[in-house]
Amino acid sequence: RELPAALLAVAAPAAGSSGASAYHVQLSAEETYAEVAPVRDAAAAASGEASMPRVGAFVSVMRGCDNACAFCVVPRTRGRERSRPLYTIVDEVRRLSEDGYREVVLLGQNVNSYND
């Protein structure tokens, strides 16, 4: 809801200012968010459907991208490509299996370039 106002602030600087300043995002080349555990089935638990069978889950194995495709904003918004440590992925998949999930989809911009 604040995006239109933010865009206007950048596009039309206030009177007397030397120019508009764009938002600055500092992207990490190392952060993988490996220690952040996803919250799954929050909606089902709230509605009392937590006992429904779990079939598939998504596991992010990497963040960012090193390609510089002209049409893509991922390298500029998510930063350089970095992979999660393998042990964190294995632990997450093991927990999913123990929780009854039968399928896991590994996610990443370029999962073929995963490198731990």
Side-chain angles (χ1 to χ4, degrees), residues 3 14 18 29 38 83 86 107 111:
L3 184 59
S18 60
S83 300
L86 182 60
L107 299 177
V111 293

Side-chain angles (χ1 to χ4, degrees), residues 5 10 17 24 47 68 81 88-89 93:
V10 172
S17 71
H24 177 67
S47 67
E81 185 175 278
T88 66
I89 298 167
V93 171

Side-chain angles (χ1 to χ4, degrees), residues 5-92:
L7 292 174
L8 286 175
V10 172
S17 71
S18 60
S21 63
Y23 285 87
H24 177 67
V25 177
Q26 196 168 22
L27 301 171
S28 171
E30 294 89 27
E31 180 59 63
T32 62
Y33 306 100
E35 71 285 351
V36 178
V39 177
R40 292 186 167 84
D41 292 330
S47 67
E49 299 175 16
S51 62
M52 301 218 17
R54 298 174 175 108
V55 177
F58 298 103
V59 175
S60 292
V61 299
M62 57 193 320
R63 309 276 186 209
C65 182
D66 284 345
N67 296 329
C69 302
F71 56 84
C72 187
V73 299
V74 170
R76 290 170 286 287
T77 57
R78 302 284 170 93
R80 299 287 312 258
E81 185 175 278
R82 58 232 184 260
S83 300
R84 285 178 55 188
L86 182 60
Y87 74 91
T88 66
I89 298 167
V90 171
D91 288 345
E92 185 173 345

